[in-house]
Each structure stands twice: as structure tokens, then as C-alpha cells.
Amino acid sequence: MSNRRLFWHIVDQIEVSINNGEYPAGSRLPPERELAEKFKVSRPTIREAIIALEVRNKVEVKTGSGVYVLKDKQAAKLKHEVNAFEVTQARALFEGEVAAMAAKTITDAELERLEQTLIAMENNQDVEKADREFHYIIVNATRNAAMIQSVENLWALRSSTPEIVQDYNRVCNKDNDKTIAEHRAIYEALKAHDTVEARSAMHVHFNRLINALFDATEASALEEIKRKNDEMRGKYSLDTILKSVV
């Protein structure tokens, strides 16, 4: 398997089953336990895959009833296109409050696990996984199921379209030292159980990410302009015209 997270591998397999008619539109997917046995993964992994499928408008989760495959018209009706800026802004606002709440409820054991993710990032050990685990530990420390599910949905949105994936890839592998320093500041605020500082540190982290997205978008636009100008220069330069005449 590639370095893609395991649940995305499951998402791909379920999508194939939906597309080939094994799970037709309107039908209910097998229970979480059966899917976990079928794909030989844990139930939390299946849960993450279902969240991702819901974000992609492939399924609809009906509380107390099950997970249902959406018809194309239903998917179109539910679909709301988002971009990387919107995802990041939503995460900044939401996870800022998550951090503030977690500052009052986080345990010593959770703080220890949080520090282990920082060590993994500092040692360049699966940085993406450690980053995600860092944010998940914080939201789980709130003991609020709605907050936990909301953060999971926002993380799933990060990979919901090729455009968002591309935008994040432009910035997430850069300035790793700054990312670690920002995570360390969040950790220290949580360790001090400082609500105000925890919120502020989380906002600082996401504010830099938003600005990095703007810088990457601007650089990409300038690169495209240069490419087009080079094409025009080659087409209309006297050297090109004279060479074609000779």
C-alpha cells in the first residue's frame, strides 16, 4: 500500500463497490462491524472512511438507521464546493475554541501523548500522521462528541477534492520548523491549562497556514503568467519569424 492513510484505501474500495453496483443507490451499506471484517481493518478506520465518503457526497449517514448510498441527484443537491482557504478558515475558528476548551479538560496522559507527536515531528517520523494525531488528541480531550465529529469532518475535507489536496501539498511540506514551533506553543498552553493562550496559539498556527496558501497561490499564478509570456515571446519574436522565412 502507498503512504496514503489506510482509510483512504478503504474509501477507494467502497467507491468501486458503489460504482459497480454492489452497493446501488438507495441501498444501505453493511454495518460498521461487517465492513471492518471485510476489509480487515479496525472499526475506527471504517468510521473515518464513512466520514470521507459522506464529505464526497457518496453516502448519507442517518442516525439510528444506517449509512445509505446517495443517488446522483441527491449527491448534487447536497454538494457544496469548498476550497482550501475555506477549510483552513473553518479549522482556525473551530479548533481555536476546541483548544480553549481542551485546556481545561486535558489530562496528563493526553499531554504525554501530545508530546510524543511533537517528538515524532521533530524526528521527521511520518509528520502528516503525527500532525493529524496532535489535533485529534486535543479535540478528544474536550470529551465533546459533536466537536470530535466536526474536527474529523474538517480533516476529511482536506482531501475531498484534487484542488484542495494540491493546495495543501504546496504548503504542508514547507517550513516544518515553524510548524513544530507552533505546535509546541499550543502544547505549552494546554499544559499550563491556559484557555486564552491555547486559543491564541492555535490561531497563530492557522493564520500562518492561510498566508502560506496565499503565497503559494500567488507563486503559481505568476508561474502560469510567465509560461504564457514565454509562449507568446517565442511566437512573436523577430528571431522566430526570420528563422521561418529563411
Side-chain angles (χ1 to χ4, degrees):
M1 188 184 300
S2 66
N3 349 350
R4 295 172 71 204
R5 293 194 297 271
L6 180 57
F7 80 91
W8 285 116
H9 182 66
I10 305 304
V11 169
D12 290 341
Q13 292 187 70
I14 294 176
E15 279 196 335
V16 168
S17 297
I18 290 172
N19 293 337
N20 67 21
E22 182 180 346
Y23 304 133
S27 68
R28 186 171 65 178
L29 290 184
E32 190 178 278
R33 176 181 51 78
E34 289 183 25
L35 289 172
E37 291 174 358
K38 176 179 178 178
F39 295 112
K40 295 181 173 55
V41 296
S42 66
R43 292 176 72 168
T45 299
I46 293 297
R47 253 178 252 127
E48 288 182 303
I50 296 301
I51 289 170
L53 287 165
E54 190 174 21
V55 169
R56 290 185 176 186
N57 297 293
K58 292 292 184 180
V59 300
E60 180 182 9
V61 178
K62 296 183 179 179
T63 305
S65 179
V67 181
Y68 291 84
V69 178
L70 287 172
K71 298 175 184 177
D72 289 340
K73 288 183 179 178
Q74 289 177 299
K77 186 177 179 181
L78 292 177
K79 190 174 181 63
H80 296 282
E81 292 292 343
V82 298
N83 59 47
F85 294 99
E86 291 170 328
V87 173
T88 308
Q89 184 184 58
R91 286 188 62 202
L93 295 171
F94 196 84
E95 292 199 48
E97 296 311 307
V98 164
M101 185 171 178
K104 294 298 184 184
T105 56
I106 197 164
T107 65
D108 289 343
E110 287 166 331
L111 285 167
E112 186 176 339
R113 287 172 53 214
L114 210 56
E115 188 167 27
Q116 290 305 310
T117 66
L118 292 173
I119 293 170
M121 281 186 264
E122 288 166 350
N123 293 331
N124 206 27
Q125 297 174 342
D126 202 342
V127 174
E128 183 183 355
K129 180 181 178 182
D131 179 29
R132 182 167 169 272
E133 182 67 14
F134 179 89
H135 289 273
Y136 270 34
I137 292 169
I138 294 172
V139 72
N140 276 281
T142 66
R143 320 283 180 246
N144 185 307
M147 282 188 165
I148 293 168
Q149 185 171 331
S150 296
V151 168
E152 287 176 345
N153 286 339
L154 286 168
W155 271 87
L157 276 172
R158 276 188 53 167
S159 302
S160 61
T161 70
E163 292 77 16
I164 293 177
V165 171
Q166 183 182 52
D167 285 339
Y168 268 100
N169 285 343
R170 287 175 182 155
V171 299
C172 286
N173 295 324
K174 297 179 180 179
D175 295 325
N176 197 42
D177 289 344
K178 290 182 180 178
T179 300
I180 292 169
E182 289 159 3
H183 279 70
R184 176 67 66 178
I186 295 166
Y187 165 78
E188 293 295 343
L190 291 168
K191 186 177 179 181
H193 302 288
D194 188 328
T195 296
V196 174
E197 187 57 34
R199 181 189 292 111
S200 176
M202 189 67 79
H203 285 169
V204 167
H205 173 50
F206 280 110
N207 190 55
R208 184 184 63 80
L209 180 54
I210 289 172
N211 285 324
L213 283 168
F214 275 115
D215 291 342
T217 301
E218 184 179 79
S220 177
L222 289 172
E223 187 178 326
E224 179 63 14
I225 290 170
K226 183 180 183 303
R227 185 189 65 79
K228 289 181 177 179
N229 281 344
D230 287 344
E231 286 181 359
M232 296 287 283
R233 186 177 291 111
K235 181 178 179 181
Y236 294 110
S237 72
L238 285 178
D239 286 343
T240 302
I241 294 171
L242 292 174
K243 281 179 184 178
S244 66
V245 171
V246 173

